[in-house]
Amino acid sequence: MDAATTLPPTLSQERLDVALAAPGFLPLDEALALHEAAGVFLGQPDSVGIGVEIGTYCGKSTVFLGAIAAAHGALLATVDHHRGSEEHQPGWEYHDTALVDPHTGTLDTSARFRRTMFDAGLEQTVVGVIASSTMGARMWGREVDFVFIDGGHSMAAAQADFDGWSPWVRRGGGLLIHDVFPDPADGGRPPYEIYRQALDSGRFEEVSAHGSLRVLRRVGA
């Protein structure tokens, strides 16, 4: 961490160290912005005390969201099938052989996620849902204060995340989308495409942008 970075009172150095040690791809400045944005929605008078993360991997971003949820006495559900996205599969850039289950021969990040939550002291705040985003959305049944979308980056995966979970964001709640790159030269397009869909729908307005993180607020039915 940069010496000039000041931690918010809702994030301890111990939890930050756990997050930094966990495998993942969230830059610290965006992680701190995510932590702050989630706190805004959880701290509103009409908060329902629940946030949702789509795309857990090993729990790096989950620590930042879980820490702010704990500070508000809220719960965080984090949804992932834990078999990895396209880029985590054998032969792809982000494949990590240390995360392969020798029994199945497939990626399984669930144990590493649970270790992260244990080390961060967040097992009483974070609810791990081992399921695809589509399956999780089908069984969900209540409004939430925010949804953070950081799952698979194929168009099919991103569209399923948006279609399945954005309707559960309460009015005034947040839709937070990671890896939004307006310039195609900077990254894949699907997160940008669902970001544009959210704005064009008239149901969401942009609140802020931090690197590739976009923070939207639900304003319409």
Side-chain angles (χ1 to χ4, degrees):
M1 184 178 71
D2 192 302
T5 302
T6 301
L7 292 183
T10 47
L11 180 66
S12 68
Q13 183 64 53
E14 291 76 16
R15 281 179 172 160
L16 176 63
D17 290 343
V18 171
L20 294 179
F25 313 98
L26 184 65
L28 180 56
D29 61 328
E30 295 182 9
L32 292 174
L34 176 67
H35 177 87
E36 179 182 2
V40 170
F41 296 115
L42 289 170
Q44 293 174 344
D46 53 351
S47 167
V48 297
I50 296 177
V52 172
E53 174 183 51
I54 308 301
T56 312
Y57 195 51
C58 296
K60 180 184 290 290
S61 56
T62 318
V63 174
F64 292 94
L65 292 173
I68 195 63
H72 286 276
L75 296 175
L76 174 72
T78 183
V79 182
D80 199 310
H81 49 59
H82 287 283
R83 296 300 189 193
S85 300
E86 300 84 356
E87 65 271 19
H88 302 137
Q89 304 310 315
W92 288 71
E93 181 179 2
Y94 296 109
H95 181 62
D96 185 347
T97 56
L99 297 173
V100 173
D101 178 358
H103 180 73
T104 62
T106 60
L107 201 75
D108 186 350
T109 56
S110 60
R112 187 60 179 85
F113 154 67
R114 294 199 68 178
R115 170 181 154 183
T116 302
M117 294 304 99
F118 175 83
D119 289 347
L122 289 170
E123 290 187 312
Q124 299 304 309
T125 296
V126 175
V127 180
V129 180
I130 302 181
S132 69
S133 172
T134 301
M135 291 170 63
R138 284 181 61 190
M139 55 79 66
W140 198 260
R142 60 176 301 172
E143 290 188 329
V144 300
D145 292 314
F146 68 83
V147 169
F148 173 49
I149 296 179
D150 192 22
H153 288 171
S154 69
M155 194 61 228
Q159 192 68 61
D161 292 344
F162 177 70
D163 291 345
W165 290 97
S166 65
W168 295 114
V169 178
R170 64 170 173 79
R171 190 180 291 243
L175 178 64
L176 292 66
I177 307 175
H178 192 229
D179 290 329
V180 174
F181 297 107
D183 186 344
D186 294 330
R189 300 297 284 171
Y192 175 78
E193 294 296 338
I194 63 170
Y195 155 76
R196 285 303 326 169
Q197 288 179 38
L199 293 179
D200 294 343
S201 72
R203 293 184 293 130
F204 294 91
E205 64 179 10
E206 186 165 340
V207 176
S208 60
H210 309 270
S212 70
L213 175 69
R214 296 296 183 273
V215 178
L216 312 180
R217 178 191 298 115
R218 183 161 187 173
V219 294

